[in-house]
Amino acid sequence: MQLTAQASPRTGARDADGMAVASFVLGLLGLLVLNVFLGPIAIVLASVALWRGTTRRGRAYLGLGLGVADLLVLVAFMQLDSTPSWSF
């Protein structure tokens, strides 16, 4: 007798929706702090959510765009500061 839980198709869609929202939140947060870590995480989560067919495509695209913006902000501040990090 096996006691393993089987994932339903709806569970996978909920996971993808959660990843889309998480990518949006992390991308938005990454504009303020830890953009070197949160930007790539937002990009990966958004990409996986889109690949899995999330119903929240808008949030996934926003998370993807914000993740890229995080990295662009980091590069811009690195160019201005000539250091690998920035602070206020």
Side-chain angles (χ1 to χ4, degrees):
M1 181 176 181
Q2 275 184 320
L3 296 176
T4 58
Q6 293 181 358
S8 68
R10 183 64 198 139
T11 303
R14 267 197 320 242
D15 290 345
D17 291 346
M19 282 188 252
V21 173
S23 71
F24 172 71
V25 171
L26 291 176
L28 197 58
L29 187 61
L31 287 174
L32 302 174
V33 294
L34 297 174
N35 50 4
V36 71
F37 298 112
L38 297 180
I41 292 171
I43 292 169
V44 168
L45 283 175
S47 301
V48 171
L50 289 168
W51 184 71
R52 287 188 179 182
T54 181
T55 58
R56 296 182 177 186
R57 296 181 64 80
R59 289 203 181 123
Y61 282 124
L62 282 172
L64 187 64
L66 286 169
V68 170
D70 292 346
L71 297 179
L72 291 176
V73 166
L74 176 67
V75 168
F77 278 109
M78 284 172 45
Q79 291 298 317
L80 290 174
D81 241 3
S82 299
T83 62
S85 65
W86 60 275
S87 63
F88 290 109

